[in-house]
Amino acid sequence: MRKDDSGPLDPRAADPGDARRLRPRARRRRLLTAVAAAATVALGVVAKLAVPGLTGDLLGSALYTVLLALLLALVAPRLVAPSLVAPVAAGAATAASVGIELLQLTGLPAAAADAFPPVAWVLGSTFVATDLLGYLAGGVAGLVLLRVLRRAS
């Protein structure tokens, strides 16, 4: 693989010397991403419990999307070229967040939360239009964070 990570997606297809250098770098990137995901969860819980009103709702929505982007970057780093992981993960996380918010218009997430309350932490229960702004901000923040983590690794 070339230094700019634009080489083949399969490290075995590259020069074996390059693949050996990639593994520690990829491991470091995944570790940093996992730590960032854990920190995002902690920050999200604090935001939910300590920041009242619209500010807390927007922060929670943004952190939800950031977490989705980080998790996508963790589980699917080889589905796209390394240089595209950040925009694809952030875009998919934003689309999923918006989709889940729109799903709340059907009442299905509320029914699921009634049957199993922890589902509400993932799917929510009621549609709130302002959450869409939080998801967009979270998508941008996720993109920036993933690019920072890529450079740090």
Side-chain angles (χ1 to χ4, degrees), residues 76-148:
R78 292 190 182 172
L79 294 180
V80 296
S83 61
L84 294 178
V85 168
V88 169
T94 303
S97 298
V98 169
I100 289 169
E101 189 69 28
L102 294 176
L103 183 66
Q104 291 169 1
L105 291 169
T106 68
L108 291 174
D114 287 341
F116 186 63
V119 166
W121 281 81
V122 176
L123 298 180
S125 59
T126 56
F127 176 80
V128 179
T130 55
D131 285 350
L132 299 172
L133 296 173
Y135 299 141
L136 294 175
V140 172
L143 174 64
V144 170
L145 179 58
L146 286 169
R147 289 200 168 158
V148 166

Side-chain angles (χ1 to χ4, degrees), residues 45-103:
V45 170
V46 169
K48 176 80 172 164
L49 299 175
V51 182
L54 180 62
T55 303
D57 288 343
L58 289 173
L59 182 58
S61 297
L63 289 170
Y64 178 85
T65 304
V66 169
L67 178 62
L68 284 178
L70 290 167
L71 293 175
L72 286 170
L74 269 176
V75 300
R78 292 190 182 172
L79 294 180
V80 296
S83 61
L84 294 178
V85 168
V88 169
T94 303
S97 298
V98 169
I100 289 169
E101 189 69 28
L102 294 176
L103 183 66

